[in-house]
Coordinates of all heavy atoms in Angstrom, one line a residue:
A8 N 197.6 24.0 22.7 CA 198.2 24.3 21.4 C 197.5 23.3 20.3 O 196.8 22.3 20.6 CB 199.7 23.9 21.4
T9 N 197.7 23.7 19.0 CA 197.2 22.9 17.9 C 198.2 21.7 17.7 O 199.2 21.6 18.3 CB 197.2 23.7 16.6 OG1 198.5 24.1 16.2 CG2 196.2 24.9 16.8
L10 N 197.9 20.8 16.8 CA 198.7 19.6 16.6 C 200.1 20.1 16.2 O 201.1 19.5 16.8 CB 198.0 18.7 15.6 CG 198.8 17.5 15.2 CD1 199.0 16.5 16.4 CD2 198.1 16.7 14.1
D11 N 200.1 20.9 15.2 CA 201.5 21.4 14.8 C 202.3 22.1 15.8 O 203.5 22.0 15.9 CB 201.3 22.3 13.5 CG 200.9 21.5 12.2 OD1 201.1 20.3 12.2 OD2 200.3 22.1 11.3
Q12 N 201.6 22.9 16.5 CA 202.2 23.6 17.6 C 202.8 22.7 18.7 O 203.8 23.0 19.2 CB 201.3 24.6 18.2 CG 200.9 25.8 17.3 CD 199.8 26.6 17.9 OE1 199.1 26.3 18.7 NE2 199.7 27.9 17.3
K13 N 202.1 21.7 19.0 CA 202.6 20.7 20.0 C 203.8 20.0 19.4 O 204.8 19.8 20.2 CB 201.5 19.7 20.3 CG 200.3 20.1 21.1 CD 199.2 18.9 21.2 CE 198.0 19.5 22.0 NZ 197.0 18.4 22.3
R14 N 203.8 19.7 18.2 CA 205.1 19.0 17.7 C 206.2 19.9 17.7 O 207.3 19.6 18.0 CB 204.7 18.5 16.2 CG 203.7 17.4 16.3 CD 203.2 17.1 14.9 NE 202.4 16.0 14.8 CZ 201.7 15.6 13.6 NH1 201.8 16.4 12.6 NH2 200.9 14.6 13.7
M15 N 206.0 21.2 17.2 CA 207.1 22.1 17.2 C 207.6 22.5 18.6 O 208.8 22.6 18.7 CB 206.6 23.4 16.4 CG 206.3 23.3 15.0 SD 207.6 22.5 14.0 CE 208.9 23.7 14.2
L16 N 206.8 22.5 19.6 CA 207.1 22.8 20.9 C 208.1 21.7 21.5 O 209.1 21.9 22.0 CB 205.9 23.0 21.9 CG 206.2 23.0 23.4 CD1 206.9 24.3 23.6 CD2 204.9 23.0 24.1
L17 N 207.6 20.5 21.3 CA 208.4 19.3 21.8 C 209.6 19.1 21.0 O 210.7 18.8 21.6 CB 207.5 18.1 21.8 CG 206.2 18.1 22.7 CD1 205.5 16.7 22.5 CD2 206.7 18.2 24.2
C18 N 209.6 19.3 19.7 CA 210.8 19.1 18.9 C 211.9 20.1 19.1 O 213.0 19.9 19.0 CB 210.4 19.1 17.4 SG 209.5 17.6 16.9
S19 N 211.5 21.4 19.5 CA 212.3 22.4 19.8 C 213.1 22.2 21.2 O 214.2 22.6 21.4 CB 211.7 23.8 19.8 OG 210.7 23.9 20.8
I20 N 212.3 21.7 22.1 CA 212.9 21.3 23.4 C 213.6 20.0 23.6 O 214.8 19.9 24.0 CB 211.8 21.3 24.5 CG1 211.1 22.7 24.6 CG2 212.4 21.0 25.9 CD1 209.9 22.8 25.5
Y21 N 213.1 19.0 22.8 CA 213.7 17.6 22.8 C 214.0 17.3 21.2 O 213.3 16.5 20.7 CB 212.7 16.7 23.3 CG 212.2 16.9 24.7 CD1 211.0 17.4 24.9 CD2 213.1 16.7 25.8 CE1 210.5 17.7 26.2 CE2 212.6 17.0 27.1 CZ 211.3 17.5 27.3 OH 210.8 17.8 28.5
P22 N 215.0 17.9 20.7 CA 215.3 17.6 19.3 C 215.7 16.2 18.9 O 215.5 15.8 17.8 CB 216.6 18.6 19.0 CG 217.2 18.7 20.4 CD 216.1 18.7 21.4
S23 N 216.1 15.4 19.9 CA 216.5 14.0 19.7 C 215.3 13.0 20.0 O 215.5 11.9 20.0 CB 217.8 13.6 20.5 OG 218.8 14.4 20.1
G24 N 214.2 13.6 20.4 CA 213.1 12.7 20.8 C 213.1 12.5 22.4 O 213.9 12.9 23.0
M25 N 212.0 11.8 22.7 CA 211.8 11.6 24.2 C 211.8 10.0 24.5 O 210.8 9.4 24.2 CB 210.5 12.3 24.6 CG 210.4 13.8 24.3 SD 208.9 14.6 24.7 CE 208.8 14.4 26.5
P26 N 212.8 9.5 24.9 CA 212.9 8.0 25.2 C 211.9 7.6 26.3 O 211.9 8.3 27.4 CB 214.3 7.8 25.6 CG 215.1 8.9 25.2 CD 214.1 10.1 25.1
Y27 N 211.1 6.6 26.2 CA 210.1 6.2 27.1 C 210.4 4.6 27.3 O 210.3 3.9 26.3 CB 208.7 6.4 26.7 CG 207.7 6.3 27.8 CD1 207.3 7.4 28.6 CD2 207.1 5.0 27.9 CE1 206.3 7.2 29.5 CE2 206.1 4.9 28.9 CZ 205.8 6.0 29.7 OH 204.8 5.8 30.7
G28 N 210.4 4.2 28.5 CA 210.4 2.8 28.8 C 209.4 2.4 29.9 O 208.4 3.1 30.1
Q29 N 209.6 1.3 30.6 CA 208.7 0.7 31.5 C 208.6 1.7 32.7 O 207.4 1.7 33.4 CB 209.1 -0.7 32.0 CG 209.0 -1.8 30.9 CD 209.5 -3.1 31.5 OE1 210.6 -3.2 32.0 NE2 208.7 -4.1 31.3
N30 N 209.6 2.5 33.1 CA 209.5 3.3 34.1 C 209.2 4.8 33.8 O 209.6 5.7 34.6 CB 210.9 3.2 34.9 CG 211.2 1.8 35.5 OD1 210.2 1.2 36.0 ND2 212.3 1.4 35.5
G31 N 208.8 4.9 32.6 CA 208.5 6.3 32.1 C 209.7 6.9 31.3 O 210.5 6.2 30.9
Y32 N 209.6 8.3 31.2 CA 210.7 8.9 30.5 C 212.0 8.9 31.2 O 212.1 8.9 32.5 CB 210.3 10.5 30.4 CG 209.2 10.6 29.3 CD1 207.9 11.1 29.7 CD2 209.5 10.5 28.0 CE1 207.0 11.4 28.6 CE2 208.4 10.7 27.0 CZ 207.3 11.1 27.3 OH 206.2 11.4 26.4
S33 N 213.1 8.8 30.5 CA 214.4 8.8 31.2 C 215.5 9.2 30.1 O 215.3 8.9 28.9 CB 214.8 7.4 31.6 OG 214.8 6.5 30.6
N34 N 216.5 9.9 30.5 CA 217.6 10.4 29.7 C 217.1 11.2 28.5 O 217.5 11.1 27.4 CB 218.4 9.2 29.2 CG 219.1 8.3 30.3 OD1 219.4 9.0 31.3 ND2 219.1 7.1 30.2
T35 N 216.1 12.1 28.8 CA 215.7 13.0 27.7 C 216.7 14.0 27.5 O 217.1 14.7 28.5 CB 214.3 13.6 28.0 OG1 214.4 14.2 29.4 CG2 213.2 12.6 28.1
Q36 N 217.1 14.3 26.3 CA 218.1 15.3 26.0 C 217.5 16.6 25.5 O 216.7 16.6 24.6 CB 219.0 14.8 24.8 CG 219.8 13.5 25.2 CD 220.8 13.7 26.3 OE1 221.5 14.7 26.4 NE2 220.9 12.7 27.1
I37 N 217.7 17.6 26.4 CA 217.0 18.9 26.2 C 218.0 19.7 25.3 O 219.2 19.6 25.3 CB 216.8 19.7 27.5 CG1 215.8 18.9 28.4 CG2 216.3 21.1 27.2 CD1 215.5 19.5 29.7
S38 N 217.4 20.5 24.3 CA 218.2 21.3 23.4 C 219.2 22.2 24.1 O 218.9 22.6 25.3 CB 217.4 22.1 22.5 OG 216.6 23.0 23.2
A39 N 220.3 22.6 23.5 CA 221.3 23.4 24.1 C 220.8 24.8 24.4 O 221.1 25.4 25.5 CB 222.5 23.5 23.2
F40 N 219.9 25.4 23.6 CA 219.4 26.6 23.8 C 218.4 26.6 25.0 O 218.6 27.5 25.9 CB 218.5 27.1 22.6 CG 217.8 28.4 22.8 CD1 218.5 29.5 22.8 CD2 216.4 28.4 23.0 CE1 217.8 30.8 23.0 CE2 215.7 29.6 23.2 CZ 216.4 30.8 23.3
Y41 N 217.5 25.7 25.1 CA 216.7 25.7 26.3 C 217.3 25.3 27.6 O 217.0 25.7 28.6 CB 215.5 24.7 26.0 CG 214.3 25.0 27.0 CD1 213.4 26.0 26.7 CD2 214.2 24.2 28.1 CE1 212.3 26.2 27.5 CE2 213.0 24.4 29.0 CZ 212.1 25.5 28.7 OH 211.1 25.8 29.5
T42 N 218.5 24.5 27.4 CA 219.3 24.2 28.6 C 219.9 25.4 29.2 O 220.0 25.6 30.4 CB 220.4 23.2 28.3 OG1 219.7 22.0 27.7 CG2 221.2 22.8 29.4
S43 N 220.3 26.3 28.2 CA 221.0 27.5 28.7 C 220.0 28.4 29.5 O 220.3 29.2 30.4 CB 221.6 28.3 27.6 OG 220.5 28.7 26.7
I44 N 218.8 28.4 29.1 CA 217.7 29.1 29.8 C 217.4 28.5 31.3 O 217.3 29.2 32.2 CB 216.4 29.2 29.0 CG1 216.6 29.9 27.6 CG2 215.3 30.0 29.8 CD1 215.4 29.9 26.8
L45 N 217.3 27.1 31.2 CA 217.1 26.5 32.5 C 218.2 26.7 33.5 O 218.1 26.6 34.7 CB 216.9 25.0 32.3 CG 215.7 24.5 31.5 CD1 215.6 23.0 31.3 CD2 214.4 25.0 32.4
A46 N 219.4 27.0 33.0 CA 220.6 27.2 33.9 C 220.4 28.4 34.7 O 221.0 28.5 35.8 CB 221.9 27.3 33.0
L47 N 219.5 29.3 34.2 CA 219.3 30.6 35.0 C 218.6 30.2 36.3 O 218.6 31.1 37.3 CB 218.6 31.6 34.1 CG 219.3 32.1 32.9 CD1 218.3 33.0 32.1 CD2 220.5 32.8 33.2
Q48 N 217.8 29.2 36.4 CA 217.0 29.0 37.6 C 217.6 27.9 38.4 O 216.8 27.3 39.2 CB 215.6 28.7 37.2 CG 215.3 27.5 36.4 CD 213.8 27.2 36.1 OE1 213.1 28.3 36.2 NE2 213.5 26.1 35.8
G49 N 218.8 27.5 38.1 CA 219.4 26.5 39.0 C 219.7 27.0 40.4 O 219.6 28.1 40.7

């Protein structure tokens, strides 16, 4: 993707941002819409 497309992709999936610490990503909040899609493959 282009720069703008990368931002839009991540912001649409992680609207609150992506917390990163010493152990990597943790407690990332996925948008309600994408969460409902992921529920289909549980």
Side-chain angles (χ1 to χ4, degrees):
T9 64
L10 178 62
D11 287 338
Q12 290 171 345
K13 288 179 178 179
R14 291 169 177 169
M15 293 307 297
L16 173 66
L17 295 179
C18 290
S19 63
I20 298 177
Y21 306 101
S23 301
M25 305 173 67
Y27 191 93
Q29 289 180 308
N30 298 322
Y32 285 114
S33 61
N34 298 325
T35 52
Q36 299 296 320
I37 301 177
S38 66
F40 174 72
Y41 199 79
T42 299
S43 65
I44 300 177
L45 288 177
L47 296 176
Q48 67 183 16

